[in-house]
Amino acid sequence: MNSLTTPRPTPASPRPTASPSPALDQERIASLLQRHGALAVLVAVVLVSSFVFPSFGTLDNAQNIAVQASFISVVALGMTLVIITGGIDLSVGSVFALGGVLAAWASQYGLWAALLLPLVVCGAIGALNGLLIARAGMAPFIVTLATLLGARGLLLALTHEGATTYLVSRGSAFAELGQGTVGGFGYPVLIALALFAAGGVVLQRTSFGQSLFAVGGSSDAATLMGLPVARTRVLVYLLSGLLAGFAGALNAARLSSGVTIIGTGMELDAIAAVVIGGTLLVGGAGSVSGTLWGVLLLAVIQNLINQIGSLNSSYQSVVSGGFLIVVVVAQRYLARARRTR
C-alpha cells in the first residue's frame, strides 16, 4: 500500500511592516498642537519668567495666580461646554456679578442660603437661554446678549443702582468657603480643580459628553442619530448659568461682599481662554483640560504684567487679543491641514 506524503509547508515570509505615512504623522501633530498647544506655551512662559523675574517662581506667587484664576476658570468651564455644542454665552459676566450680590445678601441666613439662592436664580437664567435657543430657534448671540443686559439690570435694581453693597460676616462659614486654605491654596482653587475633574469625566466618559461633540459637529446628523439635540443645548446653557452663579458666590465669599462693578468683560476673557485652550469656536471639538491651561496662561500673563510694573493691566487685553488671533488662525490652518490629508 503506497503511503501518501504530505508536502511540508514552506515557512511564510514575514510581512513588511508598514511605516506610518507622512500624512498620518502630520495629522497627528496637527491634532496634538490643537489640543495641547496652550499647555506647551504655558510651560515655556513659566520657565522663562522664572529666570527673568526671581519673585515669579515663588510659592506665594503661584498661590496668588491660582486663586485669581479659580473664579474665571469655573465660568470658563461652563463656556467650554456651550462652545463645544456650537453655541456662545455672553451673559456669564453679568450672571457672575449677580450671583455674588445674591450670595452676599443671602449669607445673613447661613451658608446654604448663600449658595442656593444664586444657583437657583442664575440657573434659571441659563435655562431661559437654553429654552429660547433650543426650543424657539433664536440665535445664541442675541439671546445671551439680552440676558446679559437683563442680569445686569436685576443686579442694579437689587443694589439700588449700585449704592448698596451687601457684606458677608467675617468668620462665617460662607466667608470661610472663600478665604480658607489647605496647604496654602485657597478653597476656591480646590473647588475649581474638582469641578474640572468632574467636567473631564462627564465630557469624555459619559454619553452626555459625547452628545455635546455630536451636536457641535452637526446638529442635523445628531438628530438623525436620535440624540436629544434640544435637551442637550438646554442643559449646557443651564450648566453655564449655574457655574457662573457659583463662581460669583465664591468670589463674594472671598471678598466678603457682593461687589456690583465686577464681571464686565468676563465673558470675553472666558471665551478667549476656551479658544486658546483648543476648543473650536464652530463646535464639535474641545476639552476642559485645554480650557484650564488657557485660563492659567492668561492669569500668568496678567501676573507678568504686574511683575514688570511699568505696564498697567490694560495691556493684558492687548496680549489676550493677540493670543486669540494667533490661536484662531492656527486652528483654521490645522483644521484645513487635517481635512486635506
Side-chain angles (χ1 to χ4, degrees), residues 75 78-79 82 89 91-92 95-96 99 118-127 129 234-248:
V75 177
M79 186 70 74
V82 171
D89 190 351
S91 67
V92 292
V95 172
F96 171 84
L119 288 178
V120 170
V121 176
C122 297
I125 294 174
N129 286 334
V234 172
L235 286 176
V236 294
Y237 282 98
L238 169 62
L239 288 173
S240 181
L242 286 172
L243 290 171
F246 181 64

Side-chain angles (χ1 to χ4, degrees), residues 242-307:
L242 286 172
L243 290 171
F246 181 64
L250 285 179
N251 188 64
R254 177 77 179 176
L255 300 178
S256 295
S257 64
V259 182
T260 59
I261 59 174
I262 61 173
T264 303
M266 176 176 276
E267 61 278 355
L268 303 181
D269 293 334
I271 293 170
V274 172
V275 176
I276 289 172
T279 299
L280 297 180
L281 271 175
V282 294
S287 66
V288 297
S289 60
T291 296
L292 181 59
W293 309 138
V295 170
L296 290 176
L297 179 58
L298 295 180
V300 166
I301 291 171
Q302 174 63 47
N303 188 265
L304 287 176
I305 291 173
N306 295 334
Q307 295 277 340

Side-chain angles (χ1 to χ4, degrees), residues 21-317:
S21 65
L24 289 177
D25 288 340
Q26 293 180 12
E27 182 177 352
R28 189 177 297 112
I29 292 172
S31 178
L32 288 174
L33 286 175
Q34 180 180 323
R35 288 182 296 167
H36 305 296
L39 176 58
V41 175
L42 174 63
V43 172
V45 170
V46 169
L47 290 177
V48 172
S49 302
S50 299
F51 285 104
V52 176
F53 302 102
S55 60
F56 177 84
T58 62
L59 180 60
D60 288 341
N61 192 52
Q63 293 170 347
N64 180 52
I65 293 174
V67 170
Q68 294 300 322
S70 60
F71 307 107
I72 181 66
S73 66
V74 175
V75 177
L77 175 60
M79 186 70 74
T80 303
L81 303 180
V82 171
I83 292 180
I84 286 177
T85 62
I88 201 77
D89 190 351
L90 300 179
S91 67
V92 292
S94 295
V95 172
F96 171 84
L98 177 61
V101 169
L102 292 173
W105 176 83
S107 64
Q108 58 185 314
Y109 302 106
L111 171 65
W112 292 111
L115 291 177
L116 289 177
L117 181 62
L119 288 178
V120 170
V121 176
C122 297
I125 294 174
L128 176 63
N129 286 334
L131 289 171
L132 292 175
I133 293 167
R135 301 294 184 184
M138 298 178 66
F141 183 89
I142 299 301
V143 171
T144 58
L145 179 61
T147 51
L148 176 155
L149 299 174
R152 185 67 64 174
L154 179 58
L155 179 153
L156 293 175
L158 292 173
T159 60
H160 306 95
E161 301 296 326
T164 302
T165 300
Y166 299 106
L167 302 178
V168 177
S169 300
R170 294 188 179 274
S172 63
F174 180 60
E176 180 66 17
L177 183 66
Q179 301 169 13
T181 60
V182 174
F185 289 90
Y187 287 159
V189 177
L190 303 180
I191 292 172
L193 290 176
L195 289 173
F196 266 84
V201 172
V202 169
L203 198 59
Q204 300 295 333
R205 303 294 182 184
T206 66
S207 58
F208 174 70
Q210 298 308 304
S211 297
L212 302 187
F213 291 109
V215 171
S218 174
S219 59
D220 292 335
T223 302
L224 292 175
M225 292 168 58
L227 296 177
V229 175
R231 186 174 65 187
T232 300
R233 283 179 170 157
V234 172
L235 286 176
V236 294
Y237 282 98
L238 169 62
L239 288 173
S240 181
L242 286 172
L243 290 171
F246 181 64
L250 285 179
N251 188 64
R254 177 77 179 176
L255 300 178
S256 295
S257 64
V259 182
T260 59
I261 59 174
I262 61 173
T264 303
M266 176 176 276
E267 61 278 355
L268 303 181
D269 293 334
I271 293 170
V274 172
V275 176
I276 289 172
T279 299
L280 297 180
L281 271 175
V282 294
S287 66
V288 297
S289 60
T291 296
L292 181 59
W293 309 138
V295 170
L296 290 176
L297 179 58
L298 295 180
V300 166
I301 291 171
Q302 174 63 47
N303 188 265
L304 287 176
I305 291 173
N306 295 334
Q307 295 277 340
I308 294 173
S310 59
L311 300 176
N312 58 47
S313 59
S314 62
Y315 281 91
Q316 183 195 10
S317 300

